[in-house]
Amino acid sequence: MKPDVSVIMYVKNGMPYFKRALQSVIHQTLYNIEILVIDGGSTDGTLEYTRQCQSADPRICILRSSQGSVGAQFNLGVEHAQGEYIGIVESDDYILPEMYEEEVACAKDCGCDVLRADNFIFFTNGDKEVRLQTRVSHKKGNYNRILCAGREPENVLIGGSFWTGIYRREFLVEKNIRMNETSGAAYQDFGFLFLTGALAESTYIIPRAFYCYRKDNPQSSCNQPARLDMPVQEYRFLEKELKKRGIWEQYKEYFFLWKIRNERWFYFNLDKAMKERYVHVLYEDLREMTKNSFSCALLNDKERTFLEIANRGEEELCEYLRQKVKGWTESAEKIEIQNADIIYLFGAGNIGRIFYYFLQNDQSRKNIRNGVTAAYVDNSPELWGVELDGVPVVTPREAFEAPNAFFIVCSENYADEIYIQIKAAGVPDCNIAVCDDMDSCIRLVMGRKA
């Protein structure tokens, strides 16, 4: 019987996390799946454990890859897959039991090429596992309807990661969509995610979360990149693919926006020493980017400033980025010592929800009262009055009228504009903290430095 889903699990020395990942796939409520474990040369017992599981479960197929590349491992999995849909589970994550049953049912019902879903981030805090839901799209209207970037190009920017859903296998085969096979274990999904969004005739997003993405693995490739030019190489691959397929002009403005945001994100997720080394790579790439004929119309103030400073010189860029890191450190300190009657989380998106958990549950910082009153505020009228975490989202005007209020700007893309808006309302700078990076926010919640 043809499997409903071929679940690709690429791994190299994935113990001890891989046990949980594999067991979460084995115990899916949808039994009609095949599990393709592509081993990249494990020497830590991963392969032996997989063979033990295979002896008890014939749905498991083990493939070996010697190329040392996640992209090559994933592509090998697609070549061998027999399922109607392709799913991906990374070796240190896990999925909820009903994930594929619900996603396949929805994908078949709407006949989509690509189905995406929200996801959870998780980490351990002491002896407790913390699991927080994050949204794949900030726009409520993008959920539960067919999207097509060919008709609405902005939909190619819908975020999330490529493992949040499933892909119709024939769509990937017909469009010849594969991962870049650069060496290493990170960032090859940037191009894949953009291409599937651009080429799918139908993408559907459901407001459910099933995939649990680990944020506290110190050996993660995101935390320890093999090379500092990995994002640059990935976007060269993507640009080549878009031009080869004749859709470069249609998507180049979104390509540059996506590229700027991700390369900036890459910088802020490096440790201090790597940040200093990466600035030169980033500077050269940004300078090369400005030679291209794109309008910058899609860029926000922060992104425009980023490019302008890069044009002034490498030292200016380096100092600008150092000040951004310093600004986040100062904001974290403000949050720790504030003594307001109410804290407004300006931005009811992923960062705001992570901070809400932090304010309600963190007891390790003596100056943050456990159970402090917090509320969301947002500029989107569609969110006003809506409850998140049991708390209504209020209007900016209502928040600005509150006495002794502290504001945390919680926005990755519009933090600069929101900060100016709050200052214009007369709020003193000592009562404003800015967080424009979700991973820095998560590190604060986990008790780690930016």
Side-chain angles (χ1 to χ4, degrees):
M1 186 177 180
K2 182 178 180 179
D4 288 310
V5 183
S6 296
V7 184
I8 295 175
M9 304 185 72
Y10 42 82
V11 62
K12 181 179 179 180
N13 294 332
M15 304 297 269
Y17 301 128
F18 182 66
K19 287 185 177 181
R20 186 180 190 182
L22 182 55
Q23 288 299 319
S24 74
V25 177
I26 289 172
H27 290 98
Q28 286 292 291
T29 56
L30 179 66
Y31 185 81
N32 187 32
I33 63 176
E34 69 170 345
I35 305 168
L36 301 175
V37 178
I38 299 94
D39 185 83
S42 295
T43 57
D44 67 340
T46 295
L47 185 59
E48 290 75 14
Y49 175 75
T50 306
R51 284 173 175 158
Q52 290 175 14
C53 294
Q54 184 186 40
S55 65
D57 193 331
R59 299 175 301 168
I60 298 174
C61 173
I62 300 173
L63 301 171
R64 305 294 301 278
S65 173
S66 59
Q67 295 191 40
S69 163
V70 159
Q73 286 179 269
F74 175 80
N75 293 342
L76 181 64
V78 172
E79 289 172 15
H80 283 78
Q82 299 297 312
E84 185 176 356
Y85 296 95
I86 299 288
I88 305 99
V89 177
E90 295 195 326
S91 60
D92 56 352
D93 302 332
Y94 70 93
I95 57 177
L96 300 188
E98 67 275 14
M99 174 168 168
Y100 289 126
E101 181 175 12
E102 294 200 22
E103 289 190 349
V104 167
C106 183
K108 288 185 175 182
D109 185 56
C110 66
C112 61
D113 292 327
V114 177
L115 183 135
R116 298 201 192 286
D118 290 346
N119 67 276
F120 294 102
I121 57 171
F122 78 97
F123 52 88
T124 54
N125 192 355
D127 59 354
K128 176 184 177 183
E129 179 175 296
V130 178
R131 198 167 72 190
L132 303 171
Q133 184 170 342
T134 61
R135 295 199 293 260
V136 73
S137 176
H138 297 296
K139 294 183 179 180
K140 187 177 179 182
N142 282 336
Y143 287 88
N144 295 322
R145 74 180 181 95
I146 292 290
L147 304 172
C148 176
R151 294 188 292 273
E152 301 171 283
E154 67 274 10
N155 287 328
V156 80
L157 293 175
I158 289 173
S161 295
F162 80 122
W163 31 250
T164 61
I166 55 177
Y167 305 82
R168 189 169 61 84
R169 186 176 66 86
E170 286 305 312
F171 158 68
L172 297 181
V173 172
E174 290 167 7
K175 299 295 184 180
N176 193 29
I177 301 175
R178 297 292 187 272
M179 273 198 197
N180 191 10
E181 296 193 1
T182 47
S183 62
Y187 308 106
Q188 291 95 336
D189 57 328
F190 285 0
F192 180 87
L193 190 62
F194 195 101
L195 284 173
T196 52
L199 297 173
E201 289 295 324
S202 53
T203 298
Y204 197 86
I205 309 177
I206 55 176
R208 290 285 313 280
F210 308 99
Y211 194 101
C212 302
Y213 178 64
R214 182 181 295 276
K215 297 297 293 186
D216 59 357
N217 179 3
Q219 303 303 316
S220 167
S221 55
C222 290
N223 295 326
Q224 295 188 343
R227 300 195 327 269
L228 291 176
D229 66 342
M230 293 174 79
V232 175
Q233 295 297 327
E234 183 64 14
Y235 280 101
R236 286 177 182 168
F237 161 79
L238 178 56
E239 180 176 347
K240 183 179 178 181
E241 284 291 312
L242 293 173
K243 288 178 176 177
K244 182 176 72 175
R245 296 167 186 272
I247 54 176
W248 170 249
E249 290 300 323
Q250 182 180 4
Y251 289 111
K252 71 176 183 180
E253 297 289 329
Y254 300 95
F255 167 89
F256 285 116
L257 175 58
W258 189 307
K259 177 178 168 71
I260 290 168
R261 288 179 178 175
N262 279 320
E263 291 195 349
R264 190 178 184 279
W265 169 84
F266 182 76
Y267 170 86
F268 287 109
N269 280 275
L270 297 172
D271 62 29
K272 184 177 180 180
M274 283 189 169
K275 280 185 172 76
E276 296 294 323
R277 289 166 46 208
Y278 177 60
V279 167
H280 178 70
V281 177
L282 177 61
Y283 169 73
E284 292 293 335
D285 196 51
L286 291 174
R287 292 278 290 176
E288 186 66 28
M289 197 185 310
T290 57
K291 297 177 184 178
N292 288 277
S293 57
F294 73 104
S295 70
C296 298
L298 297 177
L299 304 186
N300 59 36
D301 290 348
K302 177 177 68 177
E303 293 148 0
R304 231 174 255 112
T305 300
F306 190 42
L307 276 184
E308 289 170 1
I309 290 174
N311 274 324
R312 297 176 196 166
E314 187 171 343
E315 281 301 317
E316 286 82 352
L317 178 64
C318 186
E319 182 59 25
Y320 167 78
L321 291 170
R322 284 174 183 159
Q323 289 302 316
K324 281 291 184 182
V325 173
K326 181 182 178 183
W328 164 242
T329 302
E330 292 173 349
S331 285
E333 290 172 352
K334 287 182 187 178
I335 293 167
E336 290 191 31
I337 65 172
Q338 60 74 35
N339 192 28
D341 292 330
I342 186 168
I343 296 177
Y344 282 110
L345 305 171
F346 205 127
N350 292 332
I351 293 177
R353 299 182 77 174
I354 293 167
F355 260 117
Y356 183 81
Y357 165 82
F358 171 65
L359 295 172
Q360 295 301 309
N361 295 277
D362 187 85
Q363 300 181 48
S364 64
R365 289 159 176 76
K366 61 183 179 181
N367 291 317
I368 292 183
R369 303 188 307 276
N370 188 36
V372 67
T373 302
Y376 295 106
V377 57
D378 203 278
N379 282 321
S380 299
E382 66 175 9
L383 293 176
W384 296 343
V386 173
E387 286 198 353
L388 295 176
D389 308 307
V391 178
V393 182
V394 304
T395 68
R397 181 175 180 178
E398 183 178 347
F400 295 148
E401 291 175 351
N404 194 28
F406 187 87
F407 289 82
I408 302 177
V409 178
C410 303
S411 174
E412 290 188 276
N413 297 325
Y414 298 101
D416 291 357
E417 291 90 332
I418 292 172
Y419 173 78
I420 292 170
Q421 179 184 0
I422 297 172
K423 287 283 288 183
V427 179
D429 193 66
C430 60
N431 280 21
I432 309 172
V434 176
C435 181
D436 59 1
D437 177 72
M438 187 169 79
D439 287 285
S440 295
C441 172
I442 293 168
R443 285 192 289 273
L444 175 66
V445 174
M446 292 193 298
R448 299 177 182 175
K449 294 182 179 179

